[in-house]
Structures are given as structure tokens and as C-alpha cells.
Amino acid sequence: MTLQNFLKMHEGGCVQNCVSIQQEPYDYEKNRYEKTYFEEVGQEDILQSERFKEIANKQVDHFNIIGGGMYKLELCIYLKGER
């Protein structure tokens, strides 16, 4: 599924104000993903950005939701790496 379609499906979801988008693979030596496009940004801000237009057709590899309790929820989206 493309990132654009994933975010359309997620519209109105419980995590609208805190979305992070990164690209696989994870670099264990540097303790980070290959690319970080957005970090803790509102979904509407992402959809209106120029950077989103560049990555809208990239494939989503997987996602998860972190946080809860006393921490805000964050939707983390991981895009397939370019190989």
C-alpha cells in the first residue's frame, strides 16, 4: 500500500497529531533509520507539505502505535527501503 493510500485510510483515526515517517532499513551502528521524513508531526501538516508529495507513492512496509497512558500516542510508519 502506498503512503498516500495508508494516510487516506487513517483519516479520522485516533492518532492525528503525532505521526512519524521513516524509511527502512534500520542502521544498528548509528541507532536510527536510513531516512527520517517526519518526526512527531500532525497528519494534516504532513499532507500539505512538499516533502509528502515526494514520498506519497512510496510503499508502506509496516507501522505501529506507541505511547499511551501518560504519554501521547504516536503513529510510526515505516517505508520500504530502496534496494
Side-chain angles (χ1 to χ4, degrees):
M1 175 179 292
T2 66
L3 177 59
Q4 184 171 15
N5 288 339
F6 181 87
L7 290 177
K8 278 184 187 176
M9 181 181 70
H10 180 257
E11 284 178 348
C14 65
V15 186
Q16 292 289 308
N17 296 322
C18 191
V19 179
S20 294
I21 301 174
Q22 301 175 0
Q23 185 169 330
E24 294 282 357
Y26 188 83
D27 185 334
Y28 289 95
E29 290 180 16
K30 296 179 182 176
N31 293 322
R32 63 184 176 97
Y33 284 89
E34 183 176 296
K35 294 180 184 174
T36 298
Y37 294 105
F38 297 97
E39 196 162 5
E40 298 182 4
V41 179
Q43 183 167 326
E44 282 301 314
D45 295 331
I46 291 172
L47 293 173
Q48 295 172 6
S49 73
E50 289 298 316
R51 179 175 259 182
F52 175 72
K53 293 174 186 173
E54 297 170 10
I55 64 171
N57 290 318
K58 289 186 179 278
Q59 294 292 312
V60 173
D61 186 61
H62 64 282
F63 72 94
N64 62 12
I65 297 175
I66 59 174
M70 61 187 244
Y71 300 100
K72 64 182 176 181
L73 293 176
E74 178 181 354
L75 171 62
C76 302
I77 302 169
Y78 304 95
L79 305 175
K80 289 184 180 178
E82 298 170 354
R83 296 174 195 179

